[in-house]
């Protein structure tokens, strides 16, 4: 059982997955900082208030904190939107890199070589 566990832990898929989780966590911190520290202040400058987390309603003896829910929705939409924009920009850069024109081939093409070989065979057979 120990040998199987050791093999499971040292499996390349586990290491790849752990790396992806760590990178995702780091990227989440970057995106959250982008939204909280750059875009939210811009929105506050235009709207006057972007934090609705303090909104609440009293129902009997219970407080309904619907502002926290609304703030979570706003944050999600902002994070999703800016992540979408970032990924579209990266996709555009990748396409430019992938679609780069191939250099002009030097010498004859494969078809030209085959035609030349066929011509040689026909010439040799006619002698």
């Amino acid at each position: 059982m120990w040998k199987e566990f050791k093999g499971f832990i040292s499996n390349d898929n586990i290491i790849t997955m752990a790396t992806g989780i760590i990178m995702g966590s780091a990227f989440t911190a970057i995106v959250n900082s982008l939204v909280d520290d750059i875009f939210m202040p811009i929105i506050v400058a235009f709207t006057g208030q972007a934090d609705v987390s303090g909104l609440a309603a009293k129902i009997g003896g219970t407080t309904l904190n619907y502002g926290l829910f609304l703030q979570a929705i706003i944050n999600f939409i902002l994070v999703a939107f800016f992540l979408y924009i970032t990924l579209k920009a990266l996709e555009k850069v990748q396409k430019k890199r992938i679609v780069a024109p191939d250099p002009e081939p030097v010498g004859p093409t494969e078809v030209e070589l085959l035609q030349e070989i066929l011509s040689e065979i026909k010439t040799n057979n006619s002698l």
Side-chain angles (χ1 to χ4, degrees):
M1 185 169 141
W2 178 251
K3 190 184 273 187
E4 285 181 34
F5 178 71
K6 188 177 173 184
F8 173 75
I9 288 296
S10 64
N11 188 341
D12 286 344
N13 292 337
I14 296 296
I15 294 168
T16 303
M17 184 179 67
T19 302
I21 290 170
I22 292 167
M23 293 298 292
S25 176
F27 188 71
T28 299
I30 291 170
V31 171
N32 285 336
S33 177
L34 177 70
V35 170
D36 293 339
D37 302 329
I38 295 176
F39 294 113
M40 287 303 274
I42 293 171
I43 292 171
V44 169
F46 286 114
T47 64
Q49 179 185 8
D51 186 13
V52 295
S53 61
L55 298 176
K58 289 254 184 205
I59 300 176
T62 306
T63 303
L64 182 65
N65 295 315
Y66 66 91
L68 292 172
F69 179 69
L70 290 175
Q71 190 65 46
I73 291 173
I74 291 169
N75 288 346
F76 171 77
I77 290 170
L78 287 172
V79 168
F81 177 72
F82 291 113
L83 184 60
Y84 172 77
I85 289 173
T86 303
L87 291 176
K88 287 302 258 183
L90 287 174
E91 184 180 281
K92 214 175 222 183
V93 169
Q94 288 293 338
K95 280 185 181 176
K96 284 183 181 176
R97 211 177 286 162
I98 292 172
V99 181
D102 292 333
E104 291 295 321
V106 178
T109 65
E110 186 177 338
V111 172
E112 291 170 341
L113 286 173
L114 289 172
Q115 287 173 341
E116 190 176 315
I117 291 170
L118 182 62
S119 175
E120 282 289 326
I121 291 172
K122 286 180 180 177
T123 304
N124 288 340
N125 283 341
S126 65
L127 290 176

